[in-house]
Amino acid sequence: MPGDADQLFWLAFAALCAAGVVLLAVCLRGAASFLWTACLVPLFLLGRTYAAVGVAPFYLMDCLAALALLAAACTWAPRAFSEERLRGFRRVALLLAVVTVPAVCRGIAADYPDPLKGVILGLYPVVGWLAATWLLTRAGEELIRLRWVLYVPALGVLVQVVFHVPMTSAASGLYLAIAGAFGVRMRCLGRSRLLLVTLMGAALLTAAASKRGPLLAVLAAMAATAVALRTGGRRLGRWPVLSLSLVALGLVTAVSYSASQQRLSDVPVVGGLATRLEAGTQDPDSEAANNVELRFVMWQEALKEAGKEPLLGAGTGRPIDVAFEGQPLNDLRSGPHNSFVGYVYYLGWPAGIALVFLVAATLCRTWRARHHPVASAWFGATVGVCVTALTNVALEVTFIGLPSWLVLACAYARIGVPLEREVSRGSRPTAAGHLVPAPGGSDACTERSLPTSPAVPTGS
């Protein structure tokens, strides 16, 4: 039969590709870094379009992540359960993995839409834990070479706009927020290029996507990093050319808009956002006008349903049937648009409380270590994840969940490590395992001398 022959052909082709990737992972030095790059760079370029490649629940992105962990298993496996810096994260990851199993089974039994997608609720925390364990074994100089990955999110927004690729603005906003946090930190070193590229990407995204959340995530991540840098004893320096250029751009935009009498939606940079706000005022019953109120209704409905099964949750894949002002404004197949509420809704209150404590612990750890130059950027990246998680499905879907969990895991662990390398350079570790800069050495450190890399949030 021709159909059977075609299936056998594609099956053989897929098997050859898988064998080639496995062979590459086994034989190539640095295969884990290569595979992580192959996993995340296309994701930052194409977002959901790339994340959907595969047959549910097996996707190419997840397979590459699994192969990256497999390629480095000999490095991280001996330390997976003994690494003290990941002890708290490890406990939460295992708890979420355990409670996800009955939630998925309940979703399948109830015939909910796509219950198998809920596997990532427990799988991605484990992936983040193992990836962070491997990351702790990497030398800082090795990771610094991968900092070019941080330029990819802004390029991805440009590619999606120019080639009309379907865009999920929340995902692109999260990627830009991660890059922007490290861009602010690099600006402290006198290098503003990454920050400029990120701001350009955020401006393009805001003009094209007509969403408030992505812009808020980017600004929150950069502001949090800047605050951590200043309170950590680092000045952001004099006003560079970048700041003057942004001020000049704002003035020119305001003057040109006032002089030309254009519509609000035609304003450069924020025209898309203005279009959404304008649509909300013109149609009071639209979803755009009631976006914030609708989310509160969704959260209340989700928590109400979770209260019926407080320990086990409603089960993965269960949709939320929400009506607002008499109209079903929300897609019935979507979740509660809040990851913290989502974990409570799908997995139960123990899982939701554990997630909240994990995020709070990550923010506290990175804030306490903000005197270290990279910790402030980790703090900002975590804030960006939190902002997205509070208003969207940041931890529950493939194209946002994997980067989010990698940031949480690596931020929880990668603060001033490896310790032995820093001690040899003259820094003294504190009792909490963080680092105090050596006398006279922190403010003078350069990008090449940092023990950690801004490319770490990519999972590489």
Side-chain angles (χ1 to χ4, degrees), residues 215-404:
L215 179 63
L216 178 61
V218 175
L219 295 179
M222 294 192 299
T225 305
V227 170
L229 282 168
R230 291 188 67 87
T231 57
R234 282 179 167 76
R235 295 189 309 164
L236 293 182
R238 301 175 181 175
W239 278 56
V241 175
L242 172 62
S243 299
L244 294 176
S245 300
L246 291 176
V247 172
L249 176 62
L251 292 175
V252 170
T253 300
V255 172
S256 61
Y257 169 70
S258 301
S260 60
Q261 300 297 322
Q262 292 178 332
R263 294 182 304 167
L264 189 62
S265 59
D266 295 329
V267 177
V269 180
V270 295
L273 178 60
T275 301
R276 181 179 180 87
L277 297 176
E278 189 176 24
T281 57
Q282 293 177 352
D283 186 3
D285 295 328
S286 67
E287 184 177 356
N290 300 291
N291 187 266
V292 176
E293 294 83 355
L294 175 60
R295 274 172 162 74
F296 280 109
V297 173
M298 294 166 64
W299 301 344
Q300 292 173 3
E301 181 66 22
L303 294 176
K304 177 182 176 181
E305 292 296 326
K308 298 177 181 178
E309 292 286 349
L311 295 180
L312 300 177
T316 61
R318 179 170 180 175
I320 298 180
D321 188 1
V322 175
F324 188 82
E325 299 294 341
Q327 297 182 2
L329 299 179
N330 186 48
D331 182 359
L332 301 184
R333 295 170 62 89
S334 77
H337 281 72
N338 183 316
S339 290
F340 301 101
V341 175
Y343 267 79
V344 174
Y345 177 60
Y346 295 121
L347 306 184
W349 279 98
I353 294 173
L355 175 63
V356 170
F357 274 104
L358 178 64
V359 172
T362 304
L363 290 171
C364 289
R365 286 167 65 92
T366 50
W367 177 259
R368 288 199 305 265
R370 64 190 181 279
H371 54 267
H372 195 273
V374 183
S376 55
W378 280 122
F379 176 77
T382 305
V383 169
V385 170
C386 290
V387 170
T388 306
L390 285 170
T391 58
N392 218 302
V393 286
L395 303 175
E396 303 133 86
V397 294
T398 54
F399 49 93
I400 311 182
L402 183 59
S404 297

Side-chain angles (χ1 to χ4, degrees), residues 59-347:
Y59 299 97
L60 176 61
M61 181 187 70
D62 296 327
C63 292
L64 289 173
L67 287 172
L69 292 175
L70 180 62
C74 60
T75 303
W76 58 258
R79 303 177 56 176
F81 287 92
S82 61
E83 178 57 64
E84 287 296 319
R85 284 164 289 189
L86 279 167
R87 181 175 55 185
F89 193 97
R90 177 171 61 244
R91 292 175 177 174
V92 174
L94 292 175
L95 170 65
L96 296 179
V98 169
V99 299
T100 298
V101 175
V104 172
C105 293
R106 296 180 65 201
I108 296 175
D111 199 23
Y112 292 147
D114 299 323
L116 286 177
K117 285 186 177 180
V119 171
I120 67 175
L121 294 171
L123 177 63
Y124 280 174
V126 174
V127 172
W129 156 41
L130 300 181
T133 305
W134 168 76
L135 191 71
L136 291 175
T137 67
R138 301 296 91 192
E141 291 80 1
E142 176 184 349
L143 297 171
I144 286 177
R145 292 194 295 269
L146 297 174
R147 66 186 182 276
W148 62 269
V149 176
L150 292 171
Y151 291 89
V152 176
L155 177 61
V157 174
L158 178 63
V159 168
Q160 294 177 74
V161 170
V162 172
F163 293 97
H164 304 287
V165 178
M167 178 191 300
T168 303
S169 56
S172 299
L174 174 66
Y175 309 153
L176 289 169
I178 297 170
F182 285 88
V184 174
R185 204 274 310 176
M186 293 177 69
R187 149 86 188 281
C188 182
L189 300 175
R191 291 177 169 85
S192 296
R193 184 171 54 187
L194 175 61
L195 183 57
L196 175 61
V197 171
T198 302
L199 289 173
M200 292 173 61
L204 182 60
L205 176 65
T206 305
S210 304
K211 299 290 185 180
R212 292 164 288 189
L215 179 63
L216 178 61
V218 175
L219 295 179
M222 294 192 299
T225 305
V227 170
L229 282 168
R230 291 188 67 87
T231 57
R234 282 179 167 76
R235 295 189 309 164
L236 293 182
R238 301 175 181 175
W239 278 56
V241 175
L242 172 62
S243 299
L244 294 176
S245 300
L246 291 176
V247 172
L249 176 62
L251 292 175
V252 170
T253 300
V255 172
S256 61
Y257 169 70
S258 301
S260 60
Q261 300 297 322
Q262 292 178 332
R263 294 182 304 167
L264 189 62
S265 59
D266 295 329
V267 177
V269 180
V270 295
L273 178 60
T275 301
R276 181 179 180 87
L277 297 176
E278 189 176 24
T281 57
Q282 293 177 352
D283 186 3
D285 295 328
S286 67
E287 184 177 356
N290 300 291
N291 187 266
V292 176
E293 294 83 355
L294 175 60
R295 274 172 162 74
F296 280 109
V297 173
M298 294 166 64
W299 301 344
Q300 292 173 3
E301 181 66 22
L303 294 176
K304 177 182 176 181
E305 292 296 326
K308 298 177 181 178
E309 292 286 349
L311 295 180
L312 300 177
T316 61
R318 179 170 180 175
I320 298 180
D321 188 1
V322 175
F324 188 82
E325 299 294 341
Q327 297 182 2
L329 299 179
N330 186 48
D331 182 359
L332 301 184
R333 295 170 62 89
S334 77
H337 281 72
N338 183 316
S339 290
F340 301 101
V341 175
Y343 267 79
V344 174
Y345 177 60
Y346 295 121
L347 306 184

